[in-house]
């Protein structure tokens, strides 16, 4: 069902909207600016020099929206996606970026072709928020295996909105929250119409269950979590340097 849903969205006229549902999704300049900002967000505080000589993997790469900014910051970029339609489009859009490559995956693990190297950063933005719990578990396990020591899997998952715990109260978090509210306020009727009727199946996590869930899925590592608002948690799981 997950694959069929994304395959259908990859053939929709509003494909890019389903990839990145933000105001301006159908304007090239705003689309690229948002991709840059999202890449920066996902790489927050990552050592740029270290990254420049390392490999990056994106799980759920869609049409390659983040491929360009990620490839520009790393030695190589690999994108994997459950939807063949998304991967086909990504290959077209990134054909002039030699350091970028794309593979279709089964939605549960990193495919064989992408297991030829260890990754410094593995990024999953707007992907696990759409996946059932067992799919999240399987992707985390598979990705963690491919991290180099000190490497991180950075992700975004859905928070259970009935769980009030873990919400950051730092001024920075409030700023992020306000930005998100501002975006929500400008969801146009067209955007609303595109979302309505779509079946999304993302698991919602209670904040305090997330760390044990991730450690259990990965079989180790260190976890950092950040909950800027009621509905999202961002974070990473890191493979220890010099460890397993
Ligand atoms: C909302 S889009 C985000 C794409 C990209 N990360 C970005 O930010 O531009 C979600 C993408 O994840 C893919 N996807 C969903 N579930 C997946 C899974 N279990 N494994 C791999 N890809 C998946 C979908 O096909 C879709 O292309």
């Amino acid at each position: 069902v997950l694959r069929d849903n994304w395959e259908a969205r990859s053939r929709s006229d509003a494909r890019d909207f389903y990839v990145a549902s933000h105001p301006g999704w159908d304007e090239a300049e705003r689309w690229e600016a948002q991709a840059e900002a999202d890449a920066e967000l996902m790489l927050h505080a990552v050592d740029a020099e270290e990254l420049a000589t390392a490999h990056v993997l994106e799980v759920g790469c869609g049409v390659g929206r983040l491929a360009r900014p990620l490839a520009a910051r790393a030695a190589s970029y690999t994108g994997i996606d459950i939807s063949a339609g998304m991967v086909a489009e990504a290959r077209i859009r990134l054909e002039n970026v030699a350091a970028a490559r794309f593979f279709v995956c089964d939605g549960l693990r990193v495919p064989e072709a992408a297991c030829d190297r260890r990754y410094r950063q593995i990024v999953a933005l707007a992907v696990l928020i759409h996946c059932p719990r067992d799919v999240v578990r399987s992707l985390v396990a598979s990705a963690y295996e491919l991290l180099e020591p000190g490497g991180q899997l950075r992700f975004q998952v859905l928070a259970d909105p009935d769980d009030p715990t873990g919400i950051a109260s730092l001024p920075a978090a409030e700023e992020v929250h306000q930005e998100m509210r501002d975006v929500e306020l400008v969801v146009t009727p067209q955007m609303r119409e595109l979302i309505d009727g779509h079946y999304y199946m993302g698991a919602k996590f209670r904040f305090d269950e997330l760390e044990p869930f991730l450690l259990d899925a990965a079989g180790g590592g260190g976890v950092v979590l950040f909950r800027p608002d009621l509905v999202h948690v961002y974070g990473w799981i890191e493979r220890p340097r010099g460890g397993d």
Side-chain angles (χ1 to χ4, degrees), residues 2 6 18-20 38 58-63 65-66 80-83 86 105-108 124-127 130-131 135 139:
L2 190 65
W6 283 104
Y18 296 113
V19 168
D38 289 347
E58 185 183 7
V59 176
C61 60
V63 295
R65 186 180 74 98
L66 300 179
I80 63 168
D81 202 283
I82 196 173
S83 157
M86 293 289 188
C105 72
D106 66 1
L108 292 170
L125 175 63
V127 178
H130 298 305
C131 295
V135 175
L139 284 175

